[in-house]
Amino acid sequence: MKYADNIYSILCDDVRTEMGGKLSLMGLYQKDIIFNKLPAQLPLINFVIFLDGIKSKFSKLSFKISIPGDKPLNIDRNIEGPEIKINSTFVIFIGVTQFTPKKSGIAKFEVKIDDSKKPIHTLKVNIKTREQYEKEKDQEKNK
């Protein structure tokens, strides 16, 4: 079932709710999170999901966060009240404290709606050391 016209997400350090309902996103990540060494720790990381053009109401969002070298973290959020409106945009963010990748690899942030078997959206980000990142940049330069 299609729940929204578009689903997209952002990974960032902090989300602040401002006056007038605006969201300020701080420290946006792109395709890589680079650490000086691993294992490493971020005190907080936020997974922000936008469901644009809601097609169907739902009552629960489930998140699975897989970090290299660790067991997946599962978080369920019940959605209550008039928050979900057909054809509107719904935004929710999940803050993960003590984000601690132990090794390089792909971190995955998956979202499921209600009791769906498959994720409706997955964000993947590469966890790397500065040394790995610099080595990849040098290899690209020399091509």
Side-chain angles (χ1 to χ4, degrees), residues 2-90:
K2 187 171 182 177
Y3 288 94
D5 288 333
N6 295 299
I7 301 171
Y8 49 97
S9 59
I10 294 173
L11 199 60
C12 62
D13 287 328
D14 195 16
V15 179
R16 299 179 191 158
T17 304
E18 307 287 350
M19 290 183 59
K22 293 188 303 182
L23 288 180
S24 291
L25 307 178
M26 309 296 157
L28 278 66
Y29 291 97
Q30 296 180 45
K31 65 179 184 163
D32 300 322
I33 299 178
I34 301 164
F35 294 97
N36 287 329
K37 63 179 179 148
L38 291 168
Q41 185 177 67
L42 292 174
L44 177 66
I45 196 164
N46 286 276
F47 179 47
V48 185
I49 303 95
F50 300 84
L51 290 98
D52 187 34
I54 299 289
K55 295 288 177 203
S56 173
K57 292 195 176 225
F58 51 90
S59 60
K60 183 175 88 173
L61 290 172
S62 298
F63 304 91
K64 181 178 178 183
I65 301 167
S66 302
I67 303 167
D70 210 346
K71 292 185 291 186
L73 172 65
N74 294 295
I75 301 168
D76 290 333
R77 286 276 175 91
N78 290 322
I79 310 300
E80 300 174 8
E83 294 182 61
I84 308 296
K85 295 182 178 128
I86 302 300
N87 294 321
S88 69
T89 299
F90 180 75

Coordinates of all heavy atoms in Angstrom, one line a residue, residues 2-90:
K2 N 0.5 2.2 -0.8 CA 1.3 3.5 -0.8 C 0.7 4.4 0.2 O -0.5 4.7 0.2 CB 1.2 4.1 -2.2 CG 2.1 5.3 -2.4 CD 2.1 5.7 -3.9 CE 3.1 6.9 -4.0 NZ 3.2 7.3 -5.4
Y3 N 1.5 4.9 1.1 CA 1.0 5.7 2.2 C 1.2 7.2 1.9 O 0.5 8.0 2.5 CB 1.8 5.4 3.5 CG 1.3 4.1 4.1 CD1 2.0 2.9 3.8 CD2 0.2 4.0 4.9 CE1 1.6 1.7 4.3 CE2 -0.2 2.8 5.4 CZ 0.5 1.6 5.1 OH 0.1 0.4 5.6
A4 N 2.1 7.5 1.0 CA 2.4 9.0 0.7 C 2.9 9.1 -0.7 O 3.5 8.1 -1.2 CB 3.4 9.5 1.7
D5 N 2.7 10.3 -1.3 CA 3.3 10.5 -2.6 C 4.8 10.5 -2.6 O 5.4 9.9 -3.5 CB 2.8 11.9 -3.1 CG 1.4 11.9 -3.5 OD1 0.8 10.9 -3.9 OD2 0.8 13.0 -3.4
N6 N 5.4 11.1 -1.6 CA 6.9 11.1 -1.5 C 7.2 10.9 0.0 O 6.6 11.4 0.9 CB 7.4 12.5 -1.9 CG 7.2 12.8 -3.3 OD1 7.7 12.1 -4.2 ND2 6.4 13.8 -3.6
I7 N 8.3 10.1 0.2 CA 8.8 9.9 1.5 C 10.3 10.1 1.4 O 11.0 9.6 0.5 CB 8.6 8.4 2.0 CG1 7.1 8.1 2.0 CG2 9.2 8.2 3.3 CD1 6.8 6.7 2.2
Y8 N 10.8 11.0 2.2 CA 12.3 11.3 2.2 C 12.7 11.5 3.7 O 11.9 11.7 4.6 CB 12.6 12.4 1.3 CG 11.8 13.7 1.5 CD1 12.3 14.7 2.3 CD2 10.6 13.8 0.8 CE1 11.5 15.9 2.4 CE2 9.8 15.0 1.0 CZ 10.3 16.0 1.8 OH 9.6 17.1 1.9
S9 N 14.0 11.5 3.9 CA 14.5 11.6 5.2 C 15.9 12.3 5.2 O 16.5 12.4 4.2 CB 14.7 10.2 5.8 OG 15.6 9.4 5.1
I10 N 16.2 12.8 6.4 CA 17.5 13.5 6.6 C 18.0 13.0 7.9 O 17.3 12.7 8.9 CB 17.2 15.0 6.7 CG1 16.7 15.6 5.4 CG2 18.4 15.8 7.2 CD1 16.3 17.0 5.4
L11 N 19.3 12.9 8.0 CA 20.0 12.5 9.2 C 20.8 13.7 9.7 O 21.5 14.4 8.9 CB 21.0 11.3 8.9 CG 21.5 10.5 10.0 CD1 20.4 9.9 10.8 CD2 22.5 9.5 9.5
C12 N 20.7 14.1 10.9 CA 21.3 15.3 11.4 C 21.6 15.2 12.9 O 21.2 14.3 13.6 CB 20.4 16.5 11.2 SG 18.8 16.5 12.0
D13 N 22.4 16.2 13.4 CA 22.8 16.2 14.8 C 21.7 16.6 15.7 O 21.5 16.0 16.8 CB 24.0 17.1 15.0 CG 25.3 16.5 14.5 OD1 25.5 15.3 14.5 OD2 26.2 17.3 14.0
D14 N 20.9 17.6 15.3 CA 19.9 18.2 16.2 C 18.7 18.7 15.4 O 18.9 19.2 14.3 CB 20.6 19.3 17.0 CG 19.7 19.7 18.2 OD1 18.8 18.9 18.6 OD2 20.0 20.8 18.8
V15 N 17.6 18.6 16.1 CA 16.3 19.2 15.5 C 15.8 20.1 16.6 O 15.6 19.7 17.7 CB 15.3 18.0 15.2 CG1 14.0 18.6 14.6 CG2 15.9 17.0 14.2
R16 N 15.5 21.3 16.2 CA 14.9 22.3 17.1 C 13.5 22.7 16.5 O 13.4 23.1 15.4 CB 15.8 23.5 17.3 CG 17.2 23.1 17.8 CD 18.1 24.2 18.0 NE 19.4 23.7 18.3 CZ 20.5 24.4 18.1 NH1 20.4 25.6 17.5 NH2 21.7 23.9 18.4
T17 N 12.6 22.7 17.4 CA 11.2 23.3 17.0 C 11.2 24.7 17.4 O 11.4 25.1 18.5 CB 10.1 22.5 17.8 OG1 10.3 21.1 17.5 CG2 8.8 23.0 17.3
E18 N 11.0 25.6 16.4 CA 11.0 27.0 16.5 C 9.6 27.5 16.6 O 8.6 26.8 16.4 CB 11.7 27.6 15.3 CG 13.1 27.1 15.0 CD 14.2 27.5 15.9 OE1 14.0 28.4 16.8 OE2 15.3 26.9 15.9
M19 N 9.5 28.8 16.9 CA 8.2 29.5 17.0 C 7.5 29.4 15.6 O 8.2 29.4 14.6 CB 8.3 30.9 17.4 CG 8.7 31.1 18.8 SD 8.8 32.8 19.3 CE 7.2 33.4 19.0
G20 N 6.2 29.2 15.6 CA 5.5 29.1 14.4 C 5.5 27.7 13.8 O 5.1 27.5 12.6
G21 N 6.1 26.7 14.5 CA 6.1 25.4 14.1 C 7.3 25.0 13.1 O 7.3 23.9 12.6
K22 N 8.2 26.0 12.9 CA 9.3 25.7 12.0 C 10.3 24.7 12.7 O 10.4 24.6 13.9 CB 10.1 26.9 11.7 CG 9.4 28.0 10.9 CD 10.4 29.1 10.5 CE 11.0 29.7 11.7 NZ 11.9 30.8 11.4
L23 N 10.9 23.9 11.8 CA 12.0 23.0 12.3 C 13.3 23.5 11.9 O 13.5 23.8 10.7 CB 11.8 21.6 11.8 CG 10.6 20.7 12.3 CD1 10.6 19.4 11.6 CD2 10.7 20.6 13.8
S24 N 14.3 23.6 12.8 CA 15.6 23.9 12.4 C 16.4 22.6 12.5 O 16.5 22.0 13.6 CB 16.2 25.0 13.3 OG 15.6 26.2 13.0
L25 N 17.1 22.2 11.4 CA 17.9 21.0 11.4 C 19.4 21.4 11.5 O 19.8 22.2 10.6 CB 17.6 20.2 10.2 CG 16.1 19.8 9.9 CD1 16.0 19.0 8.6 CD2 15.6 19.0 11.1
M26 N 20.1 20.9 12.4 CA 21.5 21.3 12.6 C 22.4 20.1 12.3 O 22.2 19.0 12.6 CB 21.8 21.7 14.0 CG 20.9 22.7 14.6 SD 21.0 24.2 13.7 CE 19.4 24.9 14.1
G27 N 23.5 20.4 11.6 CA 24.5 19.3 11.3 C 24.0 18.2 10.4 O 24.0 17.1 10.8
L28 N 23.6 18.6 9.2 CA 23.0 17.6 8.3 C 24.1 16.7 7.7 O 25.2 17.2 7.3 CB 22.3 18.3 7.1 CG 20.9 18.7 7.4 CD1 20.8 19.8 8.4 CD2 20.2 19.1 6.1
Y29 N 23.9 15.4 7.7 CA 24.8 14.4 7.1 C 24.4 14.2 5.7 O 23.2 14.2 5.3 CB 24.8 13.1 7.9 CG 25.4 13.3 9.3 CD1 24.6 13.5 10.4 CD2 26.8 13.3 9.4 CE1 25.2 13.7 11.6 CE2 27.4 13.5 10.7 CZ 26.5 13.7 11.8 OH 27.1 13.9 13.0
Q30 N 25.4 13.8 4.9 CA 25.1 13.5 3.5 C 25.3 12.0 3.4 O 24.6 11.2 4.1 CB 26.0 14.3 2.5 CG 25.7 15.8 2.6 CD 26.5 16.6 1.7 OE1 26.7 16.3 0.6 NE2 27.0 17.7 2.3
K31 N 26.1 11.5 2.5 CA 26.2 10.0 2.4 C 27.2 9.4 3.3 O 27.2 8.1 3.4 CB 26.6 9.7 0.9 CG 28.0 10.1 0.5 CD 28.3 9.8 -0.9 CE 29.7 10.2 -1.2 NZ 30.2 9.5 -2.4
D32 N 28.0 10.1 4.0 CA 29.1 9.6 4.9 C 29.0 10.3 6.3 O 28.7 11.4 6.4 CB 30.5 9.8 4.4 CG 30.7 9.2 3.0 OD1 30.2 8.1 2.8 OD2 31.4 9.8 2.2
I33 N 29.3 9.4 7.3 CA 29.6 10.0 8.6 C 31.1 9.6 8.9 O 31.4 8.4 8.9 CB 28.7 9.4 9.7 CG1 27.2 9.8 9.4 CG2 29.1 10.0 11.1 CD1 26.2 9.2 10.4
I34 N 31.9 10.6 9.1 CA 33.3 10.4 9.2 C 33.8 10.6 10.6 O 33.5 11.6 11.2 CB 34.1 11.3 8.2 CG1 33.6 11.0 6.8 CG2 35.6 11.1 8.3 CD1 33.9 12.1 5.8
F35 N 34.5 9.6 11.2 CA 35.1 9.7 12.5 C 36.6 9.6 12.4 O 37.1 9.0 11.5 CB 34.6 8.5 13.3 CG 33.1 8.5 13.6 CD1 32.2 7.7 12.8 CD2 32.6 9.2 14.7 CE1 30.9 7.7 13.1 CE2 31.2 9.2 14.9 CZ 30.4 8.5 14.1
N36 N 37.2 10.2 13.4 CA 38.7 10.1 13.4 C 39.2 8.7 13.6 O 40.1 8.3 13.0 CB 39.3 11.0 14.6 CG 39.2 12.5 14.2 OD1 39.3 12.8 13.0 ND2 39.0 13.3 15.2
K37 N 38.5 7.9 14.4 CA 38.8 6.5 14.6 C 37.5 5.8 15.1 O 36.5 6.4 15.5 CB 39.9 6.3 15.7 CG 39.5 6.8 17.0 CD 40.7 6.5 18.0 CE 40.2 7.1 19.4 NZ 40.8 6.4 20.5
L38 N 37.5 4.5 15.0 CA 36.4 3.7 15.4 C 36.9 2.6 16.4 O 38.0 2.2 16.2 CB 35.7 3.0 14.2 CG 35.0 3.9 13.2 CD1 34.7 3.2 11.9 CD2 33.7 4.5 13.8
P39 N 36.1 2.2 17.4 CA 34.7 2.7 17.6 C 34.7 4.2 18.0 O 35.7 4.7 18.5 CB 34.3 1.8 18.8 CG 35.5 1.3 19.4 CD 36.6 1.3 18.4
A40 N 33.5 4.8 17.8 CA 33.3 6.2 18.1 C 31.9 6.4 18.7 O 31.1 5.5 18.7 CB 33.5 7.0 16.9
Q41 N 31.7 7.6 19.1 CA 30.3 7.9 19.6 C 29.9 9.3 19.3 O 30.7 10.3 19.4 CB 30.3 7.7 21.1 CG 29.0 7.8 21.8 CD 29.0 7.5 23.3 OE1 29.6 8.3 24.0 NE2 28.4 6.4 23.7
L42 N 28.6 9.4 18.9 CA 28.0 10.7 18.8 C 27.0 10.8 19.9 O 26.2 9.8 20.2 CB 27.2 10.9 17.5 CG 28.0 11.0 16.2 CD1 27.1 11.0 15.0 CD2 28.9 12.2 16.2
P43 N 26.9 11.9 20.7 CA 26.0 11.9 21.8 C 24.5 11.9 21.3 O 23.7 11.4 22.1 CB 26.3 13.3 22.5 CG 27.2 14.0 21.5 CD 27.8 13.1 20.6
L44 N 24.3 12.4 20.1 CA 22.9 12.4 19.6 C 22.9 12.4 18.1 O 23.7 13.1 17.5 CB 22.1 13.6 20.2 CG 20.7 13.8 19.7 CD1 19.8 12.7 20.2 CD2 20.2 15.1 20.2
I45 N 22.0 11.6 17.5 CA 21.8 11.7 16.0 C 20.3 11.6 15.8 O 19.6 10.9 16.6 CB 22.6 10.6 15.3 CG1 22.7 11.0 13.8 CG2 22.0 9.3 15.5 CD1 23.7 10.2 13.0
N46 N 19.8 12.4 14.9 CA 18.3 12.4 14.6 C 18.0 12.0 13.2 O 18.6 12.4 12.3 CB 17.8 13.9 14.8 CG 17.7 14.3 16.3 OD1 16.8 14.0 16.9 ND2 18.8 14.9 16.8
F47 N 17.0 11.1 13.1 CA 16.5 10.6 11.9 C 15.2 11.3 11.6 O 14.3 11.1 12.4 CB 16.4 9.1 12.0 CG 15.8 8.4 10.7 CD1 16.3 8.7 9.5 CD2 14.9 7.5 10.9 CE1 15.8 8.0 8.4 CE2 14.4 6.8 9.8 CZ 14.8 7.1 8.5
V48 N 15.1 12.2 10.6 CA 13.9 13.0 10.4 C 13.3 12.4 9.1 O 13.9 12.3 8.1 CB 14.3 14.5 10.2 CG1 13.0 15.3 10.0 CG2 15.1 15.0 11.3
I49 N 12.0 12.1 9.2 CA 11.2 11.5 8.1 C 10.1 12.4 7.7 O 9.3 12.9 8.6 CB 10.7 10.1 8.5 CG1 11.8 9.2 8.9 CG2 9.9 9.5 7.3 CD1 11.9 9.2 10.4
F50 N 10.0 12.7 6.4 CA 8.9 13.5 5.8 C 8.0 12.6 5.0 O 8.5 11.9 4.1 CB 9.5 14.6 4.9 CG 10.4 15.5 5.6 CD1 11.8 15.2 5.8 CD2 10.0 16.7 6.1 CE1 12.6 16.1 6.5 CE2 10.8 17.6 6.8 CZ 12.1 17.3 6.9
L51 N 6.7 12.5 5.3 CA 5.8 11.8 4.4 C 4.9 12.9 3.8 O 4.1 13.6 4.5 CB 4.9 10.9 5.2 CG 5.7 9.7 5.8 CD1 6.1 9.9 7.2 CD2 4.8 8.4 5.7
D52 N 5.1 13.1 2.5 CA 4.5 14.2 1.8 C 3.3 13.7 0.9 O 3.5 12.8 0.2 CB 5.5 14.9 0.9 CG 5.0 16.2 0.3 OD1 4.2 16.9 0.9 OD2 5.4 16.5 -0.9
G53 N 2.2 14.3 1.1 CA 1.0 13.9 0.3 C 0.5 12.6 0.9 O 0.4 11.6 0.2
I54 N 0.1 12.6 2.1 CA -0.4 11.4 2.8 C -1.6 10.8 2.0 O -2.5 11.6 1.7 CB -0.9 11.8 4.2 CG1 0.3 12.3 5.1 CG2 -1.6 10.6 4.9 CD1 1.3 11.3 5.5
K55 N -1.6 9.5 1.8 CA -2.6 8.8 1.0 C -3.6 8.1 1.9 O -4.7 7.8 1.5 CB -2.0 7.9 0.0 CG -1.2 8.5 -1.1 CD -2.1 9.2 -2.0 CE -1.4 10.0 -3.1 NZ -2.2 11.0 -3.6
S56 N -3.1 7.6 3.1 CA -3.8 6.8 3.9 C -3.5 7.0 5.4 O -2.3 7.2 5.7 CB -3.6 5.3 3.6 OG -4.2 4.4 4.5
K57 N -4.4 7.0 6.3 CA -4.1 7.2 7.7 C -3.4 6.0 8.3 O -3.6 4.9 7.7 CB -5.4 7.5 8.5 CG -6.0 8.8 8.1 CD -7.0 9.3 9.1 CE -7.5 10.7 8.8 NZ -7.6 11.5 9.9
F58 N -2.6 6.2 9.3 CA -1.9 5.1 10.0 C -1.8 5.4 11.4 O -2.0 6.6 11.8 CB -0.6 4.9 9.3 CG 0.3 6.1 9.2 CD1 1.1 6.5 10.2 CD2 0.2 6.9 8.1 CE1 1.9 7.6 10.1 CE2 1.0 8.0 7.9 CZ 1.8 8.4 9.0
S59 N -1.5 4.4 12.2 CA -1.5 4.6 13.7 C -0.2 4.3 14.4 O 0.0 4.6 15.5 CB -2.6 3.8 14.4 OG -2.4 2.4 14.1
K60 N 0.8 3.7 13.6 CA 2.1 3.4 14.2 C 3.2 3.5 13.2 O 3.0 3.1 12.0 CB 2.0 2.0 14.8 CG 3.3 1.5 15.5 CD 3.1 0.2 16.2 CE 3.4 -0.9 15.2 NZ 3.5 -2.3 15.8
L61 N 4.3 4.0 13.6 CA 5.5 4.0 12.8 C 6.5 3.1 13.6 O 6.7 3.3 14.8 CB 6.1 5.4 12.6 CG 5.3 6.3 11.7 CD1 5.8 7.7 11.7 CD2 5.3 5.8 10.3
S62 N 7.2 2.3 12.9 CA 8.3 1.4 13.5 C 9.6 1.8 12.8 O 9.7 1.9 11.6 CB 8.0 0.0 13.3 OG 6.8 -0.4 14.0
F63 N 10.6 1.9 13.6 CA 12.0 2.3 13.1 C 12.9 1.2 13.5 O 12.9 0.7 14.6 CB 12.4 3.6 13.7 CG 11.5 4.7 13.4 CD1 10.5 5.0 14.3 CD2 11.6 5.5 12.3 CE1 9.6 6.0 14.1 CE2 10.7 6.5 12.0 CZ 9.7 6.8 13.0
K64 N 13.8 0.8 12.5 CA 14.9 -0.1 12.8 C 16.2 0.6 12.4 O 16.3 1.0 11.3 CB 14.7 -1.4 12.0 CG 15.8 -2.5 12.2 CD 15.5 -3.7 11.4 CE 16.5 -4.7 11.6 NZ 16.3 -5.9 10.7
I65 N 17.0 0.7 13.4 CA 18.3 1.4 13.2 C 19.4 0.4 13.3 O 19.6 -0.2 14.4 CB 18.5 2.6 14.1 CG1 17.3 3.5 13.9 CG2 19.8 3.2 13.9 CD1 17.1 4.6 15.0
S66 N 20.1 0.1 12.2 CA 21.2 -0.9 12.2 C 22.5 -0.1 12.1 O 22.8 0.6 11.1 CB 21.0 -1.8 11.0 OG 19.8 -2.5 11.1
I67 N 23.4 -0.3 13.1 CA 24.7 0.3 13.2 C 25.8 -0.7 13.0 O 25.7 -1.8 13.7 CB 24.8 1.1 14.5 CG1 23.7 2.1 14.7 CG2 26.2 1.8 14.6 CD1 23.6 2.6 16.1
P68 N 26.8 -0.5 12.2 CA 27.9 -1.5 12.0 C 28.5 -1.9 13.4 O 28.8 -1.1 14.2 CB 28.9 -0.8 11.2 CG 28.1 0.2 10.4 CD 27.1 0.7 11.4
G69 N 28.5 -3.2 13.6 CA 29.1 -3.8 14.8 C 28.2 -3.8 16.0 O 28.7 -4.1 17.1
D70 N 26.9 -3.6 15.8 CA 26.0 -3.6 17.0 C 24.6 -4.2 16.6 O 24.3 -4.4 15.4 CB 25.7 -2.1 17.4 CG 25.5 -2.0 18.9 OD1 25.2 -3.1 19.6 OD2 25.5 -0.9 19.4
K71 N 23.9 -4.6 17.6 CA 22.5 -5.2 17.4 C 21.6 -4.0 16.9 O 21.8 -2.9 17.3 CB 22.0 -5.8 18.6 CG 22.7 -7.0 19.1 CD 22.0 -7.6 20.3 CE 22.1 -6.7 21.5 NZ 21.6 -7.2 22.8
P72 N 20.6 -4.4 16.0 CA 19.7 -3.3 15.6 C 18.9 -2.8 16.7 O 18.6 -3.5 17.7 CB 18.8 -4.1 14.6 CG 19.6 -5.2 14.1 CD 20.4 -5.6 15.3
L73 N 18.5 -1.5 16.7 CA 17.7 -0.9 17.6 C 16.3 -0.7 17.0 O 16.2 -0.2 15.9 CB 18.3 0.5 18.0 CG 17.4 1.4 18.9 CD1 17.3 0.8 20.3 CD2 18.1 2.8 18.9
N74 N 15.3 -1.2 17.7 CA 13.9 -1.0 17.2 C 13.1 -0.1 18.1 O 13.1 -0.2 19.3 CB 13.2 -2.4 17.2 CG 13.8 -3.4 16.2 OD1 13.8 -3.1 15.0 ND2 14.5 -4.4 16.8
I75 N 12.4 0.9 17.4 CA 11.6 1.9 18.1 C 10.3 1.9 17.5 O 10.2 2.0 16.3 CB 12.3 3.3 18.0 CG1 13.7 3.2 18.6 CG2 11.5 4.4 18.7 CD1 14.6 4.5 18.3
D76 N 9.2 1.9 18.3 CA 7.8 2.0 17.8 C 7.3 3.3 18.3 O 7.5 3.7 19.5 CB 7.0 0.9 18.3 CG 7.3 -0.4 17.6 OD1 7.8 -0.4 16.5 OD2 7.1 -1.5 18.2
R77 N 6.5 4.0 17.5 CA 5.9 5.3 17.9 C 4.4 5.2 17.5 O 4.1 5.0 16.3 CB 6.4 6.5 17.2 CG 7.8 6.9 17.7 CD 7.6 7.8 18.9 NE 8.8 8.2 19.5 CZ 9.5 9.3 19.2 NH1 9.1 10.1 18.3 NH2 10.6 9.5 19.8
N78 N 3.5 5.3 18.4 CA 2.1 5.3 18.1 C 1.7 6.7 17.7 O 2.2 7.7 18.4 CB 1.2 4.9 19.4 CG 1.4 3.4 19.6 OD1 1.5 2.6 18.7 ND2 1.5 3.0 20.9
I79 N 0.9 6.9 16.7 CA 0.5 8.2 16.2 C -1.0 8.3 16.6 O -1.8 7.5 16.1 CB 0.7 8.3 14.7 CG1 2.1 7.8 14.3 CG2 0.4 9.7 14.2 CD1 3.2 8.6 14.8
E80 N -1.3 9.3 17.4 CA -2.6 9.5 17.8 C -3.2 10.8 17.4 O -2.5 11.8 17.0 CB -2.6 9.5 19.4 CG -2.1 8.2 19.9 CD -2.0 8.2 21.4 OE1 -2.4 9.2 22.1 OE2 -1.4 7.2 22.0
G81 N -4.5 10.9 17.4 CA -5.3 12.1 17.2 C -5.3 12.6 15.8 O -5.1 11.8 14.9
P82 N -5.5 13.8 15.6 CA -5.7 14.4 14.2 C -4.4 14.7 13.5 O -4.4 15.5 12.5 CB -6.6 15.6 14.5 CG -6.1 16.1 15.8 CD -5.8 14.8 16.6
E83 N -3.3 14.2 13.9 CA -2.0 14.5 13.3 C -1.9 14.1 11.8 O -1.3 14.8 11.1 CB -0.9 13.8 14.1 CG -0.7 14.3 15.5 CD 0.5 13.7 16.1 OE1 1.6 13.8 15.6 OE2 0.3 13.0 17.1
I84 N -2.6 13.0 11.5 CA -2.5 12.5 10.1 C -3.7 13.0 9.3 O -4.8 12.7 9.6 CB -2.4 10.9 10.1 CG1 -1.4 10.4 11.0 CG2 -2.3 10.4 8.7 CD1 0.0 10.7 10.6
K85 N -3.4 13.8 8.3 CA -4.4 14.3 7.4 C -4.1 13.9 6.0 O -3.0 14.1 5.5 CB -4.5 15.8 7.5 CG -4.9 16.3 8.9 CD -5.0 17.8 9.0 CE -5.5 18.2 10.3 NZ -4.7 19.2 11.0
I86 N -5.1 13.4 5.3 CA -4.9 13.1 3.9 C -4.5 14.3 3.1 O -4.9 15.4 3.3 CB -6.3 12.5 3.3 CG1 -6.7 11.3 4.1 CG2 -6.1 12.1 1.9 CD1 -5.8 10.1 4.2
N87 N -3.5 14.1 2.2 CA -2.9 15.1 1.3 C -2.0 16.1 2.0 O -1.6 17.0 1.4 CB -4.0 15.8 0.5 CG -4.7 14.9 -0.5 OD1 -4.0 14.0 -1.1 ND2 -6.0 15.0 -0.7
S88 N -1.8 15.8 3.3 CA -0.9 16.8 4.0 C 0.5 16.2 4.1 O 0.8 15.1 3.6 CB -1.4 17.0 5.4 OG -1.3 15.8 6.2
T89 N 1.4 16.9 4.8 CA 2.8 16.4 5.0 C 2.9 16.1 6.5 O 2.5 16.9 7.3 CB 3.8 17.5 4.6 OG1 3.7 17.7 3.2 CG2 5.2 17.0 4.9
F90 N 3.5 15.0 6.8 CA 3.7 14.6 8.2 C 5.2 14.4 8.4 O 5.9 13.8 7.6 CB 3.0 13.2 8.5 CG 3.1 12.7 9.9 CD1 2.4 13.3 10.9 CD2 4.0 11.7 10.1 CE1 2.5 12.8 12.2 CE2 4.1 11.2 11.4 CZ 3.4 11.8 12.5

